[in-house]
Amino acid sequence: MILTLKQLSDSQRSSDAPAIALSQASSQDLLQQLELWVTRGWLRALDRSMAAFVLEQDPQAPPSVLLAIAMTSHQLGRGHSCLDLTATLSAPDFVLSLPPEGDEGGQLPSQWLHCVDAVTWRQALAASGLVEDRDTLRRYPERPLVLAGQRLYLRRFWNYEQKIAKALSARLTQPSITPDHLSKRLDELFPESAKDGGQRITDWQKLACALAARGHFSVITGGPGTGKTTSVVRLLGLLQTPAVEAGKPLRIRLAAPTGKAAARLSESIGKAVSELQVTDDVRQAIPTDVSTLHRLLGSRPDSRNFIHHQDNLLALDVLVVDEASMIDLEMMACLLDALPLQARLIMLGDKDQLASVDAGAVLGDLCRDAEAGRYSAATSAWLTEHTHEAVEATGLQLGEGLGDPLAQQTVMLRYSRRFDANRGIGRLAKLVNEKNAGEARQLLEHPPEQLFSLKLRGEQDSKLTRLIIDGHPEADGKPPGYRYYLEQLQQLRPATGTVWNSDGWVQWASNVLKAFDEFRLLCTLRRGPCGVEGLNLRVAGELKHRKLIDTDHGWYEGRPVLVTRNDYSLGLMNGDIGIALYLPVPDDSQPGRMSLRVAFPRNDGTGDVRFVLPSRLVEVETVYAMTVHKSQGSEFNHTALLLPDALNPVLTKELLYTGITRAKNWFSLIEAGPGVFEGAVSRNVQRLSGLALQLKAELSKEAQR
């Protein structure tokens, strides 16, 4: 019999309650329990080790303290920067990585904490010699744990939040600067009124440019196709024009968290700059090359440290960071540490996408009021004066007094030009984002153009294989599967005898890479029949069976691979995708001899390709299927999202939204079990963090000075 988590929890409470309460247990009892949780996969070995380490440092540490520390460590592994004591006591069992279908036997956290209240638990933590209680006046910076209110941190992550809050507060409280002739320059950059369906609408792109032009820190958020890139390019033109005219061009840098995101931004920036209504001198002073954040800061091999930091600042005046939802706490702290105070920082991203894999949800924390706006009366009047847009008529909430300084520098773009609101992808993404599971299901039951729905009958349903391999050949436009790129590989191959240094090989490889991006299968899990690992094996086996590839293991022509770790010696970043191809050996003495090389796009907007020997690639994996997390920053003509047969903690509306919006023209939803889609739509990511509170506190301090 399979039990749900609730049934398991209830049965355990009634039939397998611990003989002693947590208050009566010894530290060794608690460590033994942690070890059992590790064995079951509910807890990481690292988390248990953290508790054991604390006990070594403080042999008198009570079990309640050790349990809190193990849970805090575990929360970090799940993306939370801290452990909220009150939230934990309200649902103790959901702190651990319990399997969604439940598990037989074993004691749950709720059994250990059933007699514990938040006040007592906090008092025990505050009394520990390893915990600094920030609610008192005494400071112990050497202690490895920090307790702030009901939030328990590992020191490092408390420091990250502190650094970010202080740095952003300093930027947000810098005096505003209104560029000369701002209204005139904005009208030149936005010569036409914004329209949607022929109707005049608020030009949020223009508003975003205006707000960002006056501040040292700005956030521009919005969904795919809302014009984030267009807005920032026009903003750069706005800022660079007077600087070029004065003979002092601004030093501008562009960055993104991953190589894939950097490549996409390079391409879109390059096109937007070429169409910008500015002089050639200004256009040439706007960069189009985008680097990763690691490369921008100067990553040190095998180290958390970067070349650029507070004692070796970046030499720039303006920094634009795209796909900011993927930035974790540590990276944000390091970035702000290396950025001169007088430099402008402009962050772009979709607040509704998945947060970073590592701890923190920086963009989400910064965009809590983006939907509502909360502009002060002064900000609204200033915007209306310089943009001629009636901000007060937009229906946004008005901020009190001077308003939150962060809200005054945040703009949400609201109209998508990529997804027609009346077509499938845009409608489904909107309904998911609104947590409207009922209407989303109705849409899938009668899918309009762009949408396909497939419900599997068992793990081995042949319909899944046909979709992955062949796509939807009967549909308008013939949404492709993986057969397409392999057919392109064969059909476009240069003629026999083509010399090894011919440009034809580079063009062929580039076309194959583009063809591979026509379709992608996305998953929510790594393991299991609906996970990446199993599906990659299954797809390779099917392609071999259909004689589209020669073998399904090792290195073979057509094998797509995903780089899983930055390799600066090869210039490859985590998330880069390449394809193995047979190419002539670069030796004129051996005409006709071929060897495998892996083709990677250079990700610099040129469309060029680099070739790497397979033997030099260590940290790679086959990538017919990839997780939704790994797909962030990418876009595919046809995207298929496979949901597992049971709801699990990673399934949220943010994950669904991210998967749906990776599709450009067609989206296929594949369901292995009923109710999973609806369950995921109804849940959103809850990243525990104190960043918003700390930023508010720092801004309050600045206001009192």
Side-chain angles (χ1 to χ4, degrees):
M1 179 178 70
I2 297 178
L3 301 177
T4 66
L5 180 58
K6 184 178 185 304
Q7 292 170 332
L8 172 64
S9 181
D10 292 343
S11 68
Q12 292 297 314
R13 287 191 184 96
S14 61
S15 64
D16 193 27
I20 53 178
L22 182 62
S23 59
Q24 300 172 318
S26 70
S27 297
Q28 290 303 318
D29 292 334
L30 191 279
L31 288 181
Q32 289 177 8
Q33 182 60 70
L34 296 181
E35 188 62 44
L36 288 174
W37 287 344
V38 171
T39 303
R40 292 181 176 274
W42 296 0
L43 196 73
R44 302 178 303 172
L46 173 64
D47 310 324
R48 194 265 184 198
S49 297
M50 281 290 299
F53 171 76
V54 168
L55 186 60
E56 289 178 4
Q57 303 303 308
D58 180 11
Q60 304 304 313
S64 60
V65 172
L66 300 180
L67 181 59
I69 290 166
M71 286 181 166
T72 301
S73 174
H74 192 66
Q75 289 288 74
L76 281 171
R78 303 175 72 183
H80 307 284
S81 64
C82 58
L83 178 77
D84 188 302
L85 302 182
T86 302
T88 298
L89 290 174
S90 67
D93 297 335
F94 288 91
V95 176
L96 300 189
S97 298
L98 296 173
E101 70 274 10
D103 197 357
E104 296 283 349
Q107 294 174 356
L108 295 167
S110 54
Q111 298 172 260
W112 284 80
L113 293 169
H114 73 284
C115 293
V116 177
D117 62 86
V119 174
T120 304
W121 203 6
R122 194 190 189 288
Q123 288 173 345
L125 287 163
S128 172
L130 297 175
V131 178
E132 178 190 358
D133 186 0
R134 297 292 299 190
D135 291 4
T136 67
L137 297 177
R138 302 184 69 179
R139 296 288 178 260
Y140 301 95
E142 74 283 356
R143 295 183 177 181
L145 296 149
V146 178
L147 185 62
Q150 296 294 309
R151 305 185 311 278
L152 180 65
Y153 293 84
L154 296 185
R155 169 71 64 177
R156 183 157 63 89
F157 290 89
W158 163 262
N159 289 342
Y160 290 151
E161 285 193 0
Q162 282 273 289
K163 279 188 175 182
I164 295 170
K166 288 181 178 180
L168 292 182
S169 176
R171 293 181 174 279
L172 289 167
T173 53
Q174 290 283 303
S176 298
I177 303 172
T178 301
D180 294 337
H181 312 297
L182 178 60
S183 298
K184 178 176 177 292
R185 296 188 191 277
L186 283 170
D187 289 340
E188 291 172 350
L189 290 166
F190 295 87
E192 298 180 358
S193 300
K195 293 182 180 180
D196 184 41
Q199 298 295 314
R200 174 77 163 82
I201 59 174
T202 302
D203 196 337
W204 289 104
Q205 294 185 34
K206 192 174 185 180
L207 292 170
C209 282
L211 279 185
R214 73 173 189 169
H216 289 79
F217 176 71
S218 306
V219 179
I220 302 175
T221 186
T226 51
K228 295 186 294 292
T229 302
T230 302
S231 299
V232 82
V233 167
R234 293 183 184 184
L235 170 62
L236 295 179
L238 178 70
L239 297 174
Q240 193 67 285
T241 296
V244 169
E245 291 173 352
K248 296 180 179 179
L250 297 172
R251 297 166 298 175
I252 300 173
R253 296 292 302 274
L254 312 173
T258 67
K260 190 70 175 180
R264 282 194 63 200
L265 183 60
S266 289
E267 294 174 3
S268 55
I269 283 278
K271 181 181 179 182
V273 170
S274 66
E275 299 172 351
L276 193 60
Q277 300 298 311
V278 294
T279 65
D280 289 340
D281 289 344
V282 174
R283 188 177 292 105
Q284 292 172 9
I286 299 175
T288 57
D289 58 310
V290 185
S291 71
T292 63
L293 288 173
H294 283 84
R295 187 173 293 280
L296 174 74
L297 295 176
S299 183
R300 297 181 184 273
D302 302 318
S303 171
R304 279 195 144 91
N305 300 320
F306 294 98
I307 294 173
H308 292 287
H309 44 74
Q310 62 182 358
D311 297 320
N312 183 27
L313 298 174
L314 291 163
L316 51 78
D317 301 302
V318 180
L319 175 62
V320 177
V321 181
D322 195 23
E323 296 290 352
S325 63
M326 302 167 67
I327 301 176
D328 58 83
L329 274 177
E330 183 176 6
M331 176 55 74
M332 189 67 183
C334 292
L335 179 64
L336 290 169
D337 197 40
L339 198 63
L341 182 59
Q342 69 275 12
R344 298 174 187 265
L345 174 59
I346 302 143
M347 297 180 66
L348 311 176
D350 187 347
K351 68 178 182 63
D352 297 315
Q353 282 191 27
L354 286 167
S356 62
V357 175
D358 295 316
V362 176
L363 188 67
D365 285 335
L366 298 178
C367 291
R368 291 188 176 184
D369 289 332
E371 195 89 34
R374 299 193 188 280
Y375 299 124
S376 68
T379 298
S380 296
W382 185 91
L383 284 170
T384 301
E385 177 188 354
H386 292 287
T387 67
H388 314 299
E389 296 287 333
V391 180
E392 294 182 354
T394 58
L396 299 182
Q397 295 181 27
L398 188 66
E400 297 180 1
L402 297 177
D404 179 4
L406 176 60
Q408 313 313 302
Q409 290 300 125
T410 302
V411 177
M412 179 176 172
L413 306 180
R414 300 165 190 267
Y415 301 102
S416 177
R417 291 158 178 81
R418 181 185 306 173
F419 300 134
D420 188 329
N422 297 316
R423 299 183 72 192
I425 295 174
R427 288 171 63 187
L428 184 61
K430 185 174 184 292
L431 290 170
V432 167
N433 211 22
E434 295 172 348
K435 301 173 73 170
N436 192 335
E439 289 192 26
R441 171 56 66 191
Q442 291 178 19
L443 189 67
L444 290 167
E445 293 295 338
H446 306 283
E449 58 178 336
Q450 296 189 319
L451 291 185
F452 303 92
S453 178
L454 174 61
K455 296 179 180 178
L456 302 182
R457 298 180 177 179
E459 298 173 1
Q460 301 303 317
D461 194 329
S462 60
K463 292 180 181 178
L464 174 60
T465 303
R466 288 200 297 272
L467 187 153
I468 295 172
I469 305 300
D470 298 320
H472 300 282
E474 73 286 352
D476 291 342
K478 298 183 177 180
Y482 285 130
R483 178 187 296 276
Y484 176 74
Y485 93 92
L486 290 167
E487 289 179 343
Q488 292 294 293
L489 185 155
Q490 297 296 343
Q491 294 171 9
L492 301 178
R493 188 192 304 274
T496 303
T498 303
V499 295
W500 65 268
N501 56 355
S502 169
D503 291 340
W505 295 107
V506 174
Q507 187 60 51
W508 172 60
S510 179
N511 289 335
V512 173
L513 287 166
K514 290 177 182 176
F516 183 66
D517 278 348
E518 286 291 297
F519 173 71
R520 191 74 80 254
L521 174 64
L522 304 183
C523 306
T524 63
L525 307 173
R526 286 201 57 81
R527 297 179 177 83
C530 294
V532 167
E533 295 175 359
L535 281 166
N536 277 321
L537 293 173
R538 179 176 175 178
V539 174
E542 287 293 338
L543 292 173
K544 180 190 176 186
H545 177 71
R546 298 175 185 228
K547 301 185 184 320
L548 293 169
I549 57 176
D550 295 330
T551 183
D552 58 359
H553 61 276
W555 285 101
Y556 53 86
E557 187 171 53
R559 180 192 177 191
V561 293
L562 174 76
V563 178
T564 58
R565 186 176 180 182
N566 292 344
D567 189 331
Y568 295 101
S569 65
L570 295 175
L572 297 174
M573 299 292 113
N574 185 3
D576 285 350
I577 290 177
I579 296 178
L581 300 171
Y582 272 115
L583 297 161
V585 174
D587 187 346
D588 292 331
S589 66
Q590 303 182 62
R593 184 184 167 206
M594 310 290 281
S595 68
L596 272 180
R597 298 286 193 277
V598 184
F600 289 93
R602 288 198 176 274
N603 291 335
D604 56 3
T606 64
D608 201 5
V609 176
R610 75 185 76 186
F611 298 105
V612 181
L613 285 168
S615 58
R616 298 192 65 188
L617 297 172
V618 180
E619 303 290 344
V620 296
E621 60 186 32
T622 303
V623 67
Y624 294 111
M626 66 192 303
T627 63
V628 177
H629 274 94
K630 285 289 188 182
S631 75
Q632 288 193 188
S634 300
E635 183 183 73
F636 313 103
N637 215 9
H638 176 203
T639 301
L641 175 61
L642 174 60
L643 299 183
D645 59 358
L647 197 62
N648 65 68
V650 305
L651 285 166
T652 62
K653 78 171 182 75
E654 288 85 359
L655 183 138
L656 293 179
Y657 173 83
T658 302
I660 295 166
T661 55
R662 296 313 89 200
K664 186 177 181 180
N665 287 313
W666 299 285
F667 174 75
S668 298
L669 181 69
I670 310 166
E671 299 176 82
V676 176
F677 175 79
E678 286 83 356
V681 172
S682 65
R683 304 189 319 183
N684 56 288
V685 174
Q686 296 287 345
R687 285 281 177 97
L688 296 176
S689 164
L691 178 58
L693 292 173
Q694 294 206 47
L695 179 56
K696 185 177 181 180
E698 290 295 330
L699 288 169
S700 179
K701 290 179 186 177
E702 290 286 346
Q704 294 172 7
R705 289 173 184 170

